[in-house]
Amino acid sequence: MSTILIIADHSRGALSVATRKAVRCAADFCADAVDILVLAEDGADVAAQAARLAGVRRVRHVDHPAHAHPMAATAAPHILAALEDGGYSHVLGTNTSFGKDVMPRVAALLGVAMLTDLMHVHGRYQFDRPTYAGNAVDTVVAPEDRVLVATVRAASFEPAAENGAAAIENFAVAAELPGHTRFVRAEEHDSERPDLGTAARVVTGGRGVGSEQNFGVIYDLADRIGAAVGASRAAVDAGYVPNDMQVGQTGKIIAPELYICFGISGAIQHLAGIKDAGTIVAVNKDADAPIFEIADYGLVGDLFEVIPALKRALS
Ligand SMILES: Cc1cc2nc3c(=O)[nH]c(=O)nc-3n(C[C@H](O)[C@H](O)[C@H](O)COP(=O)(O)OP(=O)(O)OC[C@H]3O[C@@H](n4cnc5c(N)ncnc54)[C@H](O)[C@@H]3O)c2cc1C
């Protein structure tokens, strides 16, 4: 009997697309059942969204004041209680900030190792995952005699369809929560633009953009084509943009249909974040920049001349 518990990632009452993708990944396990656990102060709305995902048997929500803000220290004991209660063989998280924070704690409390970034499922205990900054793919086999703890690489899966009708259950947990971690504040950047992690079109800028002010041309072009905006680590480190816009090995792993980058050289750590992108377009004034080796379309030119020309062509 193999049953999978997926830990929902949600924010401001909305279930994340990454959770929908984790559900799609779970379908490839051909498990006997897939359940979702929602931890929230009041999780009824998020549970209702999760219950619509195809292939889900049951959604359990733990409503507790400690889950008003996502915190790994308080989430992990409740996840453990749900695992013990449901007798699950697998527990999957997302490769979002929350998933990457909470799943190692779950593994540690269970006393097992964990797998990160599942990108292909060969069987219930055999998977592909990226290694060496995405330059190689490992096929790993996990032991079957313990609970398997893993995160799912969202960029590798489509979102699950929303035509399901799973049972919803309010799950009361008695587990004691640690008091040594408390929520202080969350700093979030409100944006009208599409979410970088899930957008179909992404425009990015690198060190070549030159300054925070110059990044205005990148935002402008992105808004013209309804794209999210990202950046290289060099642009983040130089203070041109906030660090939640970083794409790459130590930033966001994305899989847009269209990726257009300006003034980015194409370091392997950056390319690790766009491995699953559809069409890659690169603009760089250096004809020898490594980005041209992987770009589907490359243009050697100055971004400050190319972007205005592109905008004129678009209008
Ligand atoms: C452990 C580790 C993790 C890392 N993780 C990441 C990561 O997650 N993401 C990431 O991006 N990097 C990451 N890096 C950094 C990475 O190695 C590179 O340093 C970084 O990606 C370079 O950013 P860049 O391409 O913007 O800058 P550069 O390499 O300096 O390239 C700038 C490019 O802009 C071009 N240019 C300049 N002016 C113009 C112009 N006017 N018009 C057109 N082109 C122009 C130049 O020709 C050049 O190719 C990591 C590094 C390490 C060691």
Side-chain angles (χ1 to χ4, degrees):
M1 181 83 173
S2 90
T3 49
I4 300 177
L5 182 67
I6 294 173
I7 311 305
D9 178 271
H10 58 92
S11 171
R12 302 179 189 184
L15 189 71
S16 72
V17 177
T19 305
R20 287 178 57 198
K21 293 183 170 197
V23 171
R24 178 61 195 79
C25 167
D28 292 347
F29 284 68
C30 300
D32 297 292
V34 175
D35 290 353
I36 296 181
L37 181 70
V38 175
L39 303 172
E41 190 171 28
D42 176 358
D45 280 354
V46 177
Q49 295 163 46
R52 288 200 289 273
L53 299 182
V56 176
R57 173 186 67 171
R58 176 174 61 166
V59 179
R60 308 181 100 184
H61 58 103
V62 176
D63 295 349
H64 193 289
H67 303 317
H69 304 283
M71 282 205 304
T74 45
H78 280 177
I79 294 170
L80 213 71
L83 286 173
E84 281 163 10
D85 185 77
Y88 295 95
S89 54
H90 299 64
V91 54
L92 300 182
T94 54
N95 69 342
T96 54
S97 306
F98 175 64
K100 287 194 272 193
D101 194 20
V102 74
M103 298 311 282
R105 277 183 190 257
V106 173
L109 289 174
L110 286 168
V112 299
M114 72 169 281
L115 282 171
T116 55
D117 270 343
L118 301 191
M119 56 191 287
H120 183 79
V121 179
H122 292 289
R124 289 175 189 166
Y125 294 91
Q126 190 174 339
F127 315 95
D128 286 347
R129 61 175 302 280
T131 188
Y132 298 121
N135 280 302
V137 174
D138 263 348
T139 299
V140 292
V141 178
E144 299 187 17
D145 60 349
R146 61 204 73 168
V147 178
L148 186 137
V149 182
T151 55
V152 174
R153 182 176 152 119
S156 302
F157 296 91
E158 293 296 317
E162 292 181 288
N163 56 0
I168 299 178
E169 184 184 289
N170 195 333
F171 179 47
V173 194
E176 206 176 303
L177 296 181
H180 56 65
T181 304
R182 68 193 162 83
F183 174 79
V184 178
R185 68 174 185 282
E187 286 181 20
E188 291 171 288
H189 296 99
D190 283 322
S191 171
E192 298 288 304
R193 296 190 179 91
D195 172 52
L196 175 60
T198 54
R201 296 170 180 179
V202 171
V203 177
T204 55
R207 201 198 309 264
V209 176
S211 71
E212 185 181 355
Q213 289 74 16
N214 288 354
F215 239 83
V217 297
I218 303 287
Y219 293 120
D220 205 25
L221 177 66
D223 291 345
R224 290 278 181 106
I225 60 170
V229 179
S232 69
R233 177 158 152 183
V236 169
D237 288 350
Y240 304 166
V241 294
N243 65 1
D244 60 356
M245 283 171 59
Q246 184 177 318
V247 171
Q249 181 191 345
T250 44
K252 295 208 162 88
I253 309 283
I254 59 174
E257 289 161 20
L258 176 64
Y259 181 80
I260 313 179
C261 62
F262 296 93
I264 289 184
S265 59
I268 52 164
Q269 296 90 352
H270 186 79
L271 303 185
I274 56 169
K275 226 177 164 36
D276 297 309
T279 301
I280 297 176
V281 180
V283 177
N284 195 306
K285 67 180 184 186
D286 175 7
D288 295 325
I291 191 75
F292 291 128
E293 286 167 25
I294 60 105
D296 297 289
Y297 298 94
L299 180 60
V300 180
D302 187 320
L303 69 94
F304 297 106
E305 290 167 14
V306 173
I307 292 180
L310 263 176
K311 283 200 292 203
R312 279 197 298 278
L314 283 166
S315 55

